[in-house]
Amino acid sequence: KAGVTQTPRYLIKTRGQQVTLSCSPISGHRSVSWYQQTPGQGLQFLFEYFSETQRNKGNFPGRFSGRQFSNSRSEMNVSTLELGDSALYLCASSLAGTSSYNSPLHFGNGTRLTVT
Amino acid sequence: GNSVTQMEGPVTLSEEAFLTINCTYTATGYPSLFWYVQYPGEGLQLLLKATKADDKGSNKGFEATYRKETTSFHLEKGSVQVSDSAVYFCALSEAGGSYIPTFGRGTSLIVHP
């Protein structure tokens, strides 16, 4: 079974630009979550999508947005990039059924975004 | 709200040493508990989990026991290898909650030959 795939692996952007990251979950997984990982702040939750609807949202500004398609693939977008957006962005999928609290997250290898 | 506290790293050990990484949690109900590991250049992957009090999760020589009385889920391994060098995250997830796990800040482990 293929794992979670994130593309691209690396991105270099300039302040003020926008960026779109892509995530393909494990087949059959309907929940996709996004996290930002930095040395200073650790792992921070951005948002979670389930069946094309945003079900949970972390404490990030509106420049960070996402969506999920009918095939469960997800994209996240960051507009007007700032230097502080440089981070590893991780996507995770899970089964997210009624007993989802027992279901672990399956992470991709992330997209390393550098903003200059 | 829920929270997870892990010991700060880095933890530096010699090969074959005994490992303990402490994790304590605060939750309003009865959470499931997880340890994830992140190897350099990779995403997190599940190492082990426990879903009720006194359960012991184990995998790849690592163990952790769900201790409700002390709200702890400490990770242990009897003999670490250089290949265990990674960052370890403790996490909890609660029934009836938001489906989003609460993660600790991670503990870096460095194992020297």
Side-chain angles (χ1 to χ4, degrees), chain A residues 31 48 50 55 94-105, chain B residues 32 34 93-101:
Chain A
S31 168
E48 184 235 0
F50 180 80
R55 187 162 65 173
S94 72
L95 286 169
T98 54
S99 60
S100 63
Y101 71 99
N102 275 330
S103 300
L105 298 181
Chain B
S32 290
F34 305 85
S93 189
E94 199 162 21
S98 68
Y99 301 99
I100 303 306

Side-chain angles (χ1 to χ4, degrees), chain A residues 68-84:
Chain A
Q68 187 180 33
F69 302 95
S70 58
N71 61 358
S72 292
R73 191 177 71 84
S74 178
E75 290 180 346
M76 69 163 279
N77 183 277
V78 188
S79 63
T80 320
L81 284 166
E82 300 177 359
L83 295 179

Side-chain angles (χ1 to χ4, degrees), chain A residues 10-21:
Chain A
Y10 302 93
L11 266 178
I12 299 175
K13 291 287 187 179
T14 304
R15 260 184 315 177
Q17 289 186 313
Q18 75 165 17
V19 67
T20 299
L21 313 182

Side-chain angles (χ1 to χ4, degrees), chain A residues 9 33 35 37 39-43 45 48 55-56 88 90 96-98 100-109, chain B residues 30-32 34 36 38 41-46 49-51 87 89 93-96 98-101 103-105:
Chain A
R9 283 300 307 271
S33 302
Y35 290 82
Q37 187 177 29
Q41 298 298 318
L43 199 62
F45 170 72
E48 184 235 0
R55 187 162 65 173
N56 291 282
L88 180 67
L90 293 167
T98 54
S100 63
Y101 71 99
N102 275 330
S103 300
L105 298 181
H106 299 262
F107 285 83
N109 285 334
Chain B
Y30 300 96
S32 290
F34 305 85
Y36 287 84
Q38 184 178 30
E42 299 183 9
L44 283 71
Q45 56 184 271
L46 179 70
K49 73 175 189 180
T51 58
V87 180
F89 292 87
S93 189
E94 199 162 21
S98 68
Y99 301 99
I100 303 306
F103 283 89
R105 288 186 61 86

Side-chain angles (χ1 to χ4, degrees), chain B residues 23-99:
Chain B
C23 170
T24 56
Y25 67 90
T26 302
T28 52
Y30 300 96
S32 290
L33 302 173
F34 305 85
W35 276 103
Y36 287 84
V37 58
Q38 184 178 30
Y39 298 104
E42 299 183 9
L44 283 71
Q45 56 184 271
L46 179 70
L47 182 59
L48 52 85
K49 73 175 189 180
T51 58
K52 61 182 188 297
D54 300 324
D55 265 3
K56 178 185 283 188
S58 62
N59 186 24
K60 299 181 182 179
F62 291 89
E63 292 183 340
T65 301
Y66 189 142
R67 300 287 188 200
K68 189 169 182 293
E69 64 276 12
T70 55
T71 61
S72 65
F73 193 53
H74 304 321
L75 182 68
E76 297 181 336
K77 187 176 185 183
S79 175
V80 293
Q81 306 299 311
V82 172
S83 58
D84 294 327
S85 297
V87 180
Y88 293 81
F89 292 87
C90 185
L92 71 82
S93 189
E94 199 162 21
S98 68
Y99 301 99

